[in-house]
């Protein structure tokens, strides 16, 4: 039994509806229902009475609800006690430029508020470089995108990483407004990019592995005109009309005039998204400061997505 299951159950009872609770918790309704079912199976008793009007707790569910509320209050008190103990130390966090544009400042602010005695070392670099730094134990945590992270448990074990799902982002064809045909809409498919001049990061980096796989599934050979391993330089080239790029919305988040400067068409092919994984050293290697920073990073990401400040991003059910 996990604390998150208790939180889910309490919220369902409070709102009297699984659908409303799912919306409040930013979860898919089926995922929330599955968590409640698992909880009932583990306890070997029915906790909720379901009806077309919603859900009400059974007698066992009501008793469990009261105890769950108490447990959650104790957990919150434990967190406050740990925070008041003034955790100290140093933690190094690596973010790709797109991620740093959205998550960097909120993370730094939250760490300053929660753990003022923890020294935070922030590194902004491309996902491939961050992966190398994590392997070399030069950083403690990093948000990475490489599609192989999801596919290979062996890869994770060999690197001795801890890996947590964070969120996924829609991808967009981003072009300069001044060089975009007036007929282009807000959506586009991979097979329509066959003749599109593209500017992409090079092979070793996480987004490129995702895009290469997407092009292969669509049976399209991309018209690659430039490879640039710098987000700032890449977006300058796009703005100048040298080609388009495939990136999440975060790539334009630092441009105050993004709507006037760029045209964005969302890629609609199933599965063409950028998966964000919160990777770190193995659990036994992470310091208390690093473990705390990992929680803060996830909390910040959740708040940004739920608050609508991270366009095109959706939380993983497990995040």
């Amino acid at each position: 039994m996990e604390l998150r299951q208790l939180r889910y159950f309490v919220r369902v009872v409070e709102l009297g509806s699984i659908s409303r609770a799912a919306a409040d918790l930013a979860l898919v309704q089926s995922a929330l229902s599955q968590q409640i079912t698992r909880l009932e199976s583990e306890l070997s008793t029915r906790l909720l009475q379901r009806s077309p009007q919603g859900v009400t707790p059974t007698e066992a569910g009501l008793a469990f609800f009261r105890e769950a509320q108490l447990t959650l209050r104790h957990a919150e008190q434990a967190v406050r006690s740990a925070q008041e103990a003034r955790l100290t130390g140093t933690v190094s966090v690596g973010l790709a430029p797109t991620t740093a544009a959205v998550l960097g400042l909120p993370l730094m602010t939250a760490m300053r508020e929660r753990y003022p005695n923890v020294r935070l070392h922030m590194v902004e670099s491309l996902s491939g470089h961050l992966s190398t730094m994590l392997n070399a134990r030069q950083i403690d945590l990093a948000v990475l995108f490489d599609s192989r992270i999801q596919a290979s448990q062996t890869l994770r074990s060999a690197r001795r990483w801890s890996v947590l799902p964070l969120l996924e982002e829609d991808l967009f064809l981003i072009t300069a407004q001044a060089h975009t045909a007036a007929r282009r809409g807000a959506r586009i498919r991979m097979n329509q990019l066959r003749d599109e001049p593209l500017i992409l990061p090079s092979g070793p980096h996480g987004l490129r592995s995702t895009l290469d796989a997407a092009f292969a599934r669509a049976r399209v050979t991309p018209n690659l005109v430039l490879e640039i391993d710098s987000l700032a330089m890449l977006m300058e080239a796009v703005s100048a009309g040298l080609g388009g790029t495939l990136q999440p919305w975060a790539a334009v988040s630092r441009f105050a005039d993004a709507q006037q400067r760029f045209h964005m068409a969302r890629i609609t092919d199933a599965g063409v998204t950028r998966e964000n994984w919160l990777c770190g050293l193995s659990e036994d290697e992470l310091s208390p400061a690093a473990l705390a920073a990992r929680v803060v990073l996830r909390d910040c990401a959740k708040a940004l997505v739920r608050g609508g400040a991270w366009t095109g991003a959706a939380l993983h059910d497990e995040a």
Side-chain angles (χ1 to χ4, degrees):
M1 188 182 303
E2 302 175 8
L3 279 177
R4 65 174 176 142
Q5 290 177 307
L6 299 185
R7 292 192 185 96
Y8 294 166
F9 175 75
V10 166
R11 199 63 182 138
V12 168
V13 173
E14 288 174 341
L15 295 177
S17 165
I18 291 178
S19 61
R20 287 198 295 270
D24 182 73
L25 294 165
L27 294 174
V28 178
Q29 184 174 339
S30 59
L32 180 56
S33 295
Q34 187 178 51
Q35 290 293 336
I36 300 299
T37 300
R38 286 179 182 174
L39 189 59
E40 290 179 322
S41 297
E42 186 173 346
L43 296 173
S44 299
T45 188
R46 179 72 67 185
L47 298 175
L48 296 175
Q49 186 69 41
R50 295 159 175 82
S51 72
Q53 289 72 40
V55 295
T56 55
T58 62
E59 184 176 347
L62 189 58
F64 185 76
F65 172 70
R66 296 192 187 101
E67 294 299 326
Q69 286 182 309
L70 183 60
T71 299
L72 291 173
R73 284 199 296 271
H74 286 166
E76 291 170 1
Q77 183 178 352
V79 170
R80 287 194 296 270
S81 297
Q83 292 173 342
E84 290 168 1
R86 295 199 175 275
L87 185 67
T88 63
T90 301
V91 56
S92 297
V93 179
L95 300 176
T98 46
T99 311
V102 183
L103 184 59
L105 184 57
L107 174 60
M108 290 184 282
T109 301
M111 283 296 294
R112 175 69 63 87
E113 291 174 351
R114 295 195 204 180
Y115 303 106
N117 293 340
V118 170
R119 181 185 300 170
L120 183 61
H121 173 215
M122 299 291 292
V123 177
E124 181 177 311
S125 187
L126 293 180
S127 180
H129 295 150
L130 295 176
S131 177
T132 300
M133 294 179 72
L134 194 58
N135 276 333
R137 281 20 184 200
Q138 294 173 333
I139 55 177
D140 300 300
L141 303 167
V143 177
L144 303 178
F145 317 123
D146 197 322
S147 58
R148 292 171 297 176
I149 294 172
Q150 180 181 19
S152 177
Q153 180 64 41
T154 303
L155 183 64
R156 304 184 208 182
S157 300
R159 290 173 167 175
R160 298 196 72 235
W161 284 2
S162 59
V163 178
L164 298 172
L166 188 62
L167 53 86
E168 64 177 3
E169 297 171 279
D170 290 337
L171 294 179
F172 297 83
L173 171 65
I174 305 174
T175 54
Q177 282 281 17
H179 297 84
T180 300
R183 66 181 180 278
R184 175 164 288 167
R187 297 170 180 268
I188 197 167
R189 296 187 59 82
M190 294 295 293
N191 60 16
Q192 295 175 271
L193 301 178
R194 197 177 307 274
D195 299 319
E196 186 76 32
L198 293 175
I199 306 170
L200 302 176
S202 63
H205 302 293
L207 179 60
R208 182 62 182 274
S209 69
T210 297
L211 293 175
D212 286 346
F215 277 120
R217 290 195 300 272
R219 299 182 180 179
V220 170
T221 300
N223 177 21
L224 191 60
V225 295
L226 279 171
E227 288 185 312
I228 302 177
D229 288 340
S230 160
L231 180 65
M233 193 183 305
L234 187 152
M235 296 310 298
E236 284 181 6
V238 171
S239 182
L242 300 183
T245 191
L246 298 173
Q247 294 279 346
W249 166 86
V252 304
S253 62
R254 282 178 169 154
F255 291 89
D257 61 343
Q259 290 188 335
Q260 292 74 40
R261 186 188 293 246
F262 300 109
H263 179 274
M264 300 183 67
R266 187 171 70 84
I267 306 298
T268 59
D269 297 61
V272 183
T273 57
R274 184 171 77 169
E275 298 285 343
N276 288 243
W277 301 89
L278 177 49
C279 303
L281 302 181
S282 61
E283 297 288 340
D284 59 336
E285 290 182 274
L286 287 174
S287 67
L291 290 169
R294 187 171 67 179
V295 172
V296 175
L297 190 153
R298 296 180 82 190
D299 287 348
C300 288
K302 289 179 185 179
L304 289 165
V305 173
R306 291 173 179 171
W310 199 328
T311 301
L315 293 169
H316 278 283
D317 290 344
E318 300 88 343

